[in-house]
Amino acid sequence: LLRKLPIKRNASDRALRRNMWKAIDMNDNGYASLAELDRGIQDVLNLPTIFKSKKVIMRAFQAAKKKYKARSKYSDDYVEWMEFRIFLVYLRQYFEYWVMFNRTDTDGDHKISLQEFKNAVPIMEKWGVKIKNPVQEFKKIDTNGGGVIMFDEFCKYAIEKQLDLEDDDDFDDVELKFEEDAIEAI
C-alpha cells in the first residue's frame, strides 16, 4: 500500500501526486469531493481493497479537508491540492486502523463487542497498548455508551494510544507519521 501512495515530500512523489490530483480533479476546480476521491481510489490509485473500505475513505476525507484553514467558502467541504498529500497519509493510517478493527471484530458485524475486545487483549498488546482491566478500557472507548465499539471510537482510541500494527508497511520517514490532530476530525 505504501508503495502506491506517493506521500513523501520529495520531487518525484510530488510529481506523482500532481498527476493523480489532475486525474481525480477532473473538472479542474481545485477541489476534490468525497465522491471524486472515492472514484480516484479505484480508478487512479487502483486500490480496490481501500475502495471497498468506505469508512476508511470517509475518515481520511474528514480529517484532510479540515487540515488547513479555509481559504474559500468551499474549502471545509472538499479536499484541496494542498491537503491531498495529507489525505493520502490519512488514508494509509486509517486503513491500518481498519485492519486492526477487523482483526478485533471477529464476527464481522462492524462492531466490537465486549467479548471480542477481551479476546483481542493479547493482540492489542502487540500493537502497543497494555490493558489491565478490559471492561473498564472497553467502557472508555465506547464513548457513545452503545455497548459496542464502532470504527470511529476505535480510531480515536488507536490515535490516542498510538497503536501500531505489527505486520504492516510502516512509514519510514518521521515527517509522514500520522498526526494526532486527526482525532479532532473524527
Side-chain angles (χ1 to χ4, degrees):
L1 177 61
L2 203 50
R3 286 190 302 265
K4 287 196 167 204
L5 299 175
I7 56 180
K8 292 186 180 176
R9 293 181 178 168
N10 61 40
S12 62
D13 274 19
R14 183 177 169 82
L16 288 169
R17 276 194 310 276
R18 179 57 76 184
N19 289 336
M20 288 176 175
W21 178 258
K22 287 178 182 177
I24 290 170
D25 181 23
M26 291 174 49
N27 57 6
D28 198 29
N29 66 357
Y31 300 102
S33 68
L34 177 60
E36 289 171 314
L37 290 167
D38 187 55
R39 180 196 53 80
I41 288 166
Q42 180 167 331
D43 298 345
V44 178
L45 297 170
N46 193 24
L47 296 170
T49 304
I50 290 184
F51 178 73
K52 293 175 189 171
S53 307
K54 299 303 182 189
K55 291 180 182 190
V56 170
I57 299 167
M58 175 60 84
R59 292 284 56 88
F61 177 75
Q62 293 296 332
K65 73 180 183 162
K66 295 181 180 178
K67 177 64 180 159
Y68 298 107
K69 185 178 177 187
R71 297 183 323 165
S72 77
K73 66 180 182 176
Y74 304 111
S75 293
D76 283 339
D77 297 325
Y78 300 94
V79 169
E80 297 178 78
W81 161 248
M82 67 182 191
E83 297 163 323
F84 185 56
R85 185 190 75 83
I86 202 70
F87 169 76
L88 297 176
V89 171
Y90 289 160
L91 190 66
R92 187 247 167 245
Q93 190 62 46
Y94 279 116
F95 186 71
E96 179 176 338
Y97 295 151
W98 182 249
V99 170
M100 290 176 180
F101 183 83
N102 285 320
R103 287 184 185 174
T104 306
D105 171 29
T106 54
D107 68 5
D109 66 352
H110 303 289
K111 303 173 218 166
I112 299 172
S113 68
L114 176 57
Q115 189 57 54
E116 287 172 321
F117 186 77
K118 287 179 180 178
N119 293 344
V121 167
I123 194 167
M124 292 181 79
E125 288 186 3
K126 291 179 185 176
W127 300 336
V129 66
K130 201 97 159 131
I131 300 172
K132 293 179 180 156
N133 184 332
V135 173
Q136 185 178 18
E137 199 76 5
F138 181 89
K139 286 179 182 178
K140 281 186 354 191
I141 301 167
D142 179 20
T143 57
N144 71 3
V148 293
I149 298 171
M150 304 302 288
F151 182 60
D152 290 353
E153 293 170 319
F154 183 82
C155 288
K156 288 178 184 178
Y157 180 74
I159 293 167
E160 177 188 314
K161 297 295 183 180
Q162 299 179 341
L163 298 185
D164 184 36
L165 198 59
E166 78 282 5
D167 59 350
D168 69 331
D169 57 352
D170 277 328
F171 295 124
D172 60 354
D173 188 340
V174 73
E175 74 180 348
L176 300 177
K177 289 283 188 195
F178 190 59
E179 299 173 28
E180 291 183 19
D181 62 353
I183 199 167
E184 297 171 11
I186 298 176

